[in-house]
Amino acid sequence: MWDFKMVTLLLPFLFSAIFAQGMIWDKLDLGKWRQTERNRKQAYNSLSDQQNTGLTEWTSWFNIDHPGGNGDYERLEAIRYYYRERVCARPVAMEARTTDWVPATDTGEVVHSSLDKGFWCINKEQPHGRSCSNYHVRFQCPPVNAYWMDWSDWGPCSATACDDVGIQARQRKCVTKEPMPLLLTPACHGAHIERRECSTPPCQEARWGPWGVWGSCSATCGGGRRTRRRSCIRTSDTVQCEGRPTEVQKCGKKPCPVACQRVCPEGQPSDDCSLCVCEGHVLHGDVLSARGVPVTGARVALASQPNIVRAHTNSKGLFKMPGVCSGSNTLLLISKEKFTPLTISTSNNGSKTSWVHAVMKSSEKPYIVKHPEDKVRYEGQRAILCCKAMGSPKPEKYQWYHNGSLLDWKEYKYEEDLVLRDLQVKQSGQYYCKAISQTGSIKSTPAFVTVIGKDTPACKATPEPHLVKLPLDCAQPETGSMFYDAGRCPHNRCAGDLDYDMRCRDTGGFCCGVKTMETRKINCGQYSLPIKVVTECACQSCVEPKVLVRGRVVAVDDNEPLRFGHIFMGKERVGTTGFQGGFTIQVSPGTERLVVNFVDPTQKFIDTVKVFIFDKKGGSVYHDVKVMRKVEPVDIDAAETNTIYLGEIKGEDPIGQLVIPPNSFHKTSGEVYEGTVKASVTFIDPRNITTAAAAPGDLNFIDNEGDTLPLRTYGMFSVDFRDEMNQEVLGAGAVQVLLDTEHVKMQEHIPTMKLWSLNPDTGIWEEESNFNYTKAVAKGSGRNKREERTFLIGNMEIRERRLFNLDVPESRRCYVKVRAYMSDKFLPTEQLKGVVITLINLEPKPGFSSNPRAWGRFDSVITGPNGACLPAFCDARVPDAYTAYVTAIMGGEELEAAPSTPKMNPNIIGVSQPYLDKLDYQRSDHTDPQLKKTAFRINLAKPDPNNLDETNGPIYPYQGMIACENAPVDANHFRFFRVEKDKYEYNVVPFEENDLTTWTGDYLSWWPNPQEFRACYIKVKIHGATEVMVRSRNLGGTHPQTRGQLYGIRDIRSTRDMFISNTSAACLEFKCSGMLFDQAAVDRSVIAVLPQANCRRTSINGLLQEYLIKHPPVLQNNESHAFSMLAPVDPLGHNYGIYTVTDQNPRVAKEIAIGRCFDGTSDGFSREMKADAGVALTFSCPKRTINRESLFQRLQTNPGQTMSQMARDMRESEGLRVGRGDSQVVAFPPGQQGRSQIRRTSNRRRAAVRTRSRQ
């Protein structure tokens, strides 16, 4: 039985519901209801008085709306918004009156009320065209039924250590008379717990006071001792200081005077007997650079006393040292910053004057040429890790680290190589070396040493799950799943029997691979599909795929190719670009950093150094290389001061200037050049975002600890000075570089700004000089005015290096998570590997006012099985302080970014709200639909660790690199996808083209050779209003091991020709004929081309048909809806409609073949379908006209008659008699009933015949 109080509370709600449904009560009934309700309220109040401590209370009157527009609305939500705490959470009654104090029930107007929503009156509901009155309302709130008890005592302090700070808390309890299930909000207002800071008593400690002064030495020479003391300061007698109160030190080490024993072949000993001196003799010398330029300011010392500088070279590189003997025993040490220290001997010519000639080489920071490689060993075996660094001077010391900790040299006795003997499991982990020279340090890339226990298998026999996607028409009836677990073996290295285990690089390594496979049949409902499933894994010989880097070198301004450009790796020329600027580089095993220098022999483009990323698993990575066009040289006078401005953007002030003093140019012989200089200075301006792709190097430098750190650029420039005949390259000394501070928008960058030069061999930027403040007169915008500005000034010499950079190190760094997918469905199982993701850091945005198009840095990363993490600059205080522009490219094909219009959809972009709004994601076509869709822009807002919404990506703090790399697929990330849709590939022997190490040697492998991949395509033309899916079914043909067995299936949707109406074409892959993996015999595979629509074959390429006839056997093509053939063995061309490309990477081979197929040529490339060029087959696929209802439609419109007809057909097919009086089935819509009545016995007979024929 319900409580009377609860029923009373529900009555107003019931009244509101009934009233809202449009019930119209007459005044008499309404009056009776009001009287009854009033009586109930009185009864409730009288009952409440006995149970509660106070009476109910009415609020003040509220009027927040006026009856204009649609009516008068006194919404409870709006009242709470404007009057906050003046309305209780659960009012029990409400009263409404007009502003003339007339109750709402007496106005005759149609009104609505609800204790949840409030009160409202709608003008269009009023009779006789009346408008609503202006109402105000008030609410009745329940009495106070709850109160707080007294606070408890303060709890213990959370800190336990002495002299520490912690937190302590106390609580109070809320006492209420309301039943708890009725409380929708807390009964008592306020907090039930209170916290405060607390501290623990100070610690009892003992510490030493400062040391006293040293006492006097016990001896003045020959060795003595001296002491000093200190006192113990204690807070209690129970504690003592650790250590000794007295310290003893040796002193008086200077030997006591003895007679000088030095024997001088010439001259006599010096006063301190440290060297031989020749009174009256003067040693002269000149010091030049490797290019013959005098070295100014070099320090000259005796090699026996390197810390005592005896002379400095002057502006002409000359020095003299009086009193120094010149003989075979005298060695000079010459040193200067940016040069390698040089030790040179002297010779005596018998006179009072002698000369030495010294040539100094520019110094280079050390760089690693051999990195340690991964090793896998069993417990108790041994391994060697090799490391080698070069530089000028050469590294003088090596250090080895294990999991970040320095290994003890006394234990391991390492130099360049580290030998690990009697390996234990605990020695597994990461190892790297550190090479140290006088110019700096460098760390190698880490190598992983895996030590496997004696009883632990190196390769688990049970394969791990691997889901293979099935064809679209293959849904397994038992599960309805479109995936099948084919299993795979983890491609980790094994510890096998090596011919020799102490090589730097293990030869003939072993990897966990497929040992056995079995053939299974997948039930697809209408047909069965064979598949090879991995059943057992074991250690096998590793597949060593070739690692390739491909690309095209073009001008950044107009895409003019760099034709026949020279390609250098270090000092070695390794290749030449093609006529279209294309290039291919095979990466040597063990390469960790691929640095390539593109040199234009025609001097049309500047030399461009690129650091390429590559896929170590054998994927060929495509790079679109941009080069800057060299600025036309201008004539300057070498005898005058010359100023060259950096950054010639129309309407913008230059970023800086080069100031070249008079007589600063010199020839390679060191001779000062006088005359006209042809000067070309090409500036890569960060205010022009299109130049970002042409920036050389990878904008990194090596710090003193050997770590690679990023730079943020304010501009790069390439210099080229030549003589008047434009033949000899000139150098320049004492050149000043001025940077206008107006262009440095982040003031904290000014103190750390430096001038850098690029090492073309390593691709690393090395420091040239610091900057200092100066005032100078500069030309203003448009070169129309002159004004004094503040500049940063630096000095440099233009020697061998010709590329310079205005950069600052930046420590505010993050990682951005990006994934690439096969389609816009963004399925986790369809992620793409081998996609090059590029992130360009843009100039600071609002908050640091600047040009929004400027860029400061770029980085590229290849996607792996779990996407890619790109380094970027970010800011925690201002979300849009840094922004980024992100693109993705795969084999020369640009991928599309997730759309941001017409509505921002977090499920599509991959980032949840509200973080997505903070990042302000915008695809490149966000404001202009005509732009490409292949990039997106974001704010680089550093995640707040205290905000849960920002701890799940897609931006991670720099320390969270591991979290970014291991982030699950459902974590926030940005997305790209391939524009090519409705494409499907099925291999009976599963293989991932992005990872060549997954290749399995089997007769039914689609690719028979992991070192060479041949892709074959046939062009199929479709006449029809819609695109059509076209399938190739590929079977073994002539090889005895594969005859009649399926290799795989390929599906592709035809692409519309934009210039021919009702025409499309499909470039369909098929299994090439050729040798299988055993290289024993050729298999001419059987290819069936099957359009998946109502199609009819209309023509076959004449040359292709003639070739098939001349190369029997010829397959019969009696069915007009398909085409079958034995795949050609020869690489036919576009004249046959067959496109064949062989490459060392399957994906590259397919991309090239598809590009030729689209273009309809044998050497072209296009992404626009040309349906009339190079076609092999033509099908007509008209749209099928539906003139009858399908069974599904009939079941929906007339189920009874449809079921009767189906039963009749079944009985007739079994030979049963059906009377004429039985009801008929309407096979057409109801409007055609009259015409369908004439279809009687003859229709039934035809149906019976069709049924029998199907059976």
Side-chain angles (χ1 to χ4, degrees), residues 961-1237:
M961 180 183 67
I962 301 299
C964 179
E965 291 179 344
N966 298 332
V969 72
D970 58 350
N972 287 338
H973 61 274
F974 296 108
R975 294 169 171 174
F976 285 94
F977 63 94
R978 295 194 71 175
V979 180
E980 188 176 17
K981 301 178 181 178
D982 295 326
K983 176 182 176 182
Y984 174 75
E985 298 179 357
Y986 175 78
N987 296 323
V988 171
V989 180
F991 173 64
E992 298 178 37
E993 293 177 355
N994 296 317
D995 185 358
L996 303 188
T997 59
T998 62
W999 180 85
T1000 303
D1002 191 273
Y1003 284 104
L1004 292 178
S1005 295
W1006 185 273
W1007 306 100
N1009 185 353
Q1011 301 292 336
E1012 186 176 78
F1013 300 87
R1014 187 182 184 194
C1016 298
Y1017 283 79
I1018 183 171
K1019 192 168 186 177
V1020 182
K1021 182 178 179 181
I1022 303 294
H1023 286 300
T1026 60
E1027 294 88 352
V1028 173
M1029 288 291 292
V1030 185
R1031 168 173 293 183
S1032 72
R1033 188 173 63 234
N1034 306 268
L1035 305 174
T1038 59
H1039 197 285
Q1041 296 289 340
T1042 63
R1043 186 178 294 115
Q1045 298 185 58
L1046 183 69
Y1047 284 111
I1049 294 174
R1050 297 293 187 266
D1051 288 342
I1052 186 69
R1053 184 174 294 278
S1054 61
T1055 303
R1056 181 150 311 278
D1057 191 317
M1058 303 305 295
F1059 301 98
I1060 305 176
S1061 61
N1062 295 330
T1063 303
S1064 61
C1067 291
L1068 181 65
E1069 184 184 8
F1070 64 88
K1071 177 71 171 70
C1072 303
S1073 294
M1075 290 283 189
L1076 299 186
F1077 89 102
D1078 62 357
Q1079 300 295 307
V1082 172
D1083 181 28
R1084 289 194 66 187
S1085 49
V1086 177
I1087 312 301
V1089 179
L1090 306 165
Q1092 307 294 292
N1094 180 33
C1095 298
R1096 179 176 56 86
R1097 190 181 69 248
T1098 57
S1099 67
I1100 303 175
N1101 184 297
L1103 292 177
L1104 175 61
Q1105 195 166 15
E1106 182 180 350
Y1107 175 89
L1108 296 176
I1109 293 174
K1110 291 182 178 180
H1111 296 78
V1114 179
L1115 299 184
Q1116 298 298 321
N1117 283 284
N1118 297 326
E1119 297 180 349
S1120 62
H1121 67 278
F1123 174 77
S1124 299
M1125 68 174 181
L1126 287 174
V1129 178
D1130 302 310
L1132 305 182
H1134 68 284
N1135 292 329
Y1136 298 81
I1138 303 295
Y1139 302 86
T1140 305
V1141 175
T1142 302
D1143 194 87
Q1144 294 168 330
N1145 182 270
R1147 198 170 59 200
V1148 173
K1150 293 169 71 170
E1151 292 294 337
I1152 297 174
I1154 292 174
R1156 294 177 180 177
C1157 179
F1158 268 63
D1159 193 55
T1161 61
S1162 295
D1163 55 359
F1165 189 90
S1166 175
R1167 278 295 173 187
E1168 293 184 0
M1169 179 59 74
K1170 300 175 183 178
D1172 272 352
V1175 176
L1177 304 172
T1178 303
F1179 287 85
S1180 176
C1181 304
K1183 190 173 182 180
R1184 179 177 295 176
T1185 303
I1186 300 176
N1187 52 15
R1188 286 187 53 155
E1189 285 185 312
S1190 66
L1191 176 61
F1192 178 73
Q1193 292 171 324
R1194 286 186 291 166
L1195 285 171
Q1196 282 188 319
T1197 57
N1198 219 328
Q1201 293 182 351
T1202 304
M1203 294 299 294
S1204 299
Q1205 180 64 47
M1206 292 174 63
R1208 188 188 316 279
D1209 290 343
M1210 293 175 63
R1211 288 195 298 269
E1212 290 185 356
S1213 65
E1214 296 173 359
L1216 300 178
R1217 306 180 100 185
V1218 182
R1220 288 180 175 268
D1222 293 337
S1223 60
Q1224 294 286 318
V1225 173
V1226 178
F1228 292 88
Q1232 303 176 4
Q1233 256 186 353
R1235 290 174 295 181
S1236 63
Q1237 292 294 331

Side-chain angles (χ1 to χ4, degrees), residues 880-952:
D880 56 357
Y882 281 110
T883 58
Y885 186 81
V886 187
T887 61
I889 188 170
M890 180 178 179
E893 172 192 354
E894 293 180 300
L895 274 62
E896 272 193 21
S900 58
T901 55
K903 182 181 180 181
M904 195 81 71
N905 189 335
N907 295 326
I908 293 178
I909 297 173
V911 181
S912 60
Q913 294 286 18
Y915 199 20
L916 180 60
D917 287 337
K918 186 176 181 180
L919 300 178
D920 191 24
Y921 176 92
Q922 292 186 10
R923 195 168 68 175
S924 47
D925 65 339
H926 185 81
T927 56
D928 186 358
Q930 302 300 318
L931 295 178
K932 297 171 70 174
K933 306 173 183 179
T934 54
F936 65 82
R937 186 197 61 79
I938 54 171
N939 293 335
L940 291 170
K942 188 174 182 179
D944 182 1
N946 298 319
N947 187 340
L948 186 62
D949 295 325
E950 300 181 10
T951 57
N952 194 34

Side-chain angles (χ1 to χ4, degrees), residues 469-666:
K469 187 177 180 181
L470 303 179
L472 297 177
D473 56 351
C474 180
Q476 302 172 75
E478 299 84 0
T479 61
S481 173
M482 298 292 295
F483 293 88
Y484 192 85
D485 185 5
R488 67 178 173 189
C489 299
H491 192 72
N492 56 278
R493 287 192 171 269
C494 298
D497 294 329
L498 302 175
D499 56 351
Y500 186 59
D501 59 356
M502 295 296 285
R503 289 191 176 97
C504 294
R505 178 180 177 82
D506 290 341
T507 57
F510 296 89
C511 298
C512 187
V514 177
K515 181 179 181 181
T516 57
M517 303 179 75
E518 69 177 22
T519 303
R520 296 180 185 174
K521 296 290 186 179
I522 303 175
N523 182 9
C524 294
Q526 298 178 350
Y527 65 95
S528 61
L529 190 67
I531 187 171
K532 290 270 191 173
V533 177
V534 179
T535 56
E536 186 179 1
C537 302
C539 289
Q540 310 282 339
S541 297
C542 293
V543 176
E544 298 291 347
K546 293 182 179 179
V547 180
L548 302 175
V549 169
R550 298 177 180 271
R552 186 167 177 254
V553 187
V554 296
V556 71
D557 51 1
D558 59 0
N559 286 332
E560 178 186 351
L562 172 60
R563 295 188 171 97
F564 312 118
H566 297 169
I567 304 175
F568 288 88
M569 293 177 63
K571 302 291 191 298
E572 181 184 359
R573 180 177 168 184
V574 296
T576 304
T577 62
F579 183 77
Q580 296 297 330
F583 67 91
T584 300
I585 299 173
Q586 182 170 338
V587 183
S588 302
T591 302
E592 296 291 339
R593 182 176 173 87
L594 183 61
V595 182
V596 180
N597 188 9
F598 295 96
V599 178
D600 181 13
T602 66
Q603 296 298 315
K604 185 183 297 184
F605 305 105
I606 68 172
D607 297 351
T608 302
V609 178
K610 289 293 183 180
V611 180
F612 288 137
I613 54 176
F614 56 92
D615 189 351
K616 293 183 179 180
K617 292 186 177 181
S620 177
V621 179
Y622 185 90
H623 292 274
D624 195 7
V625 180
K626 303 290 186 180
V627 294
M628 288 289 293
R629 192 179 300 276
K630 186 177 291 186
V631 172
E632 288 295 325
V634 296
D635 293 339
I636 60 176
D637 190 349
E640 298 180 354
T641 299
N642 295 281
T643 300
I644 300 176
Y645 290 98
L646 304 175
E648 301 282 340
I649 295 181
K650 186 176 181 180
E652 297 279 349
D653 294 333
I655 286 180
Q657 50 190 277
L658 295 182
V659 179
I660 307 173
N663 302 316
S664 295
F665 294 100
H666 52 78

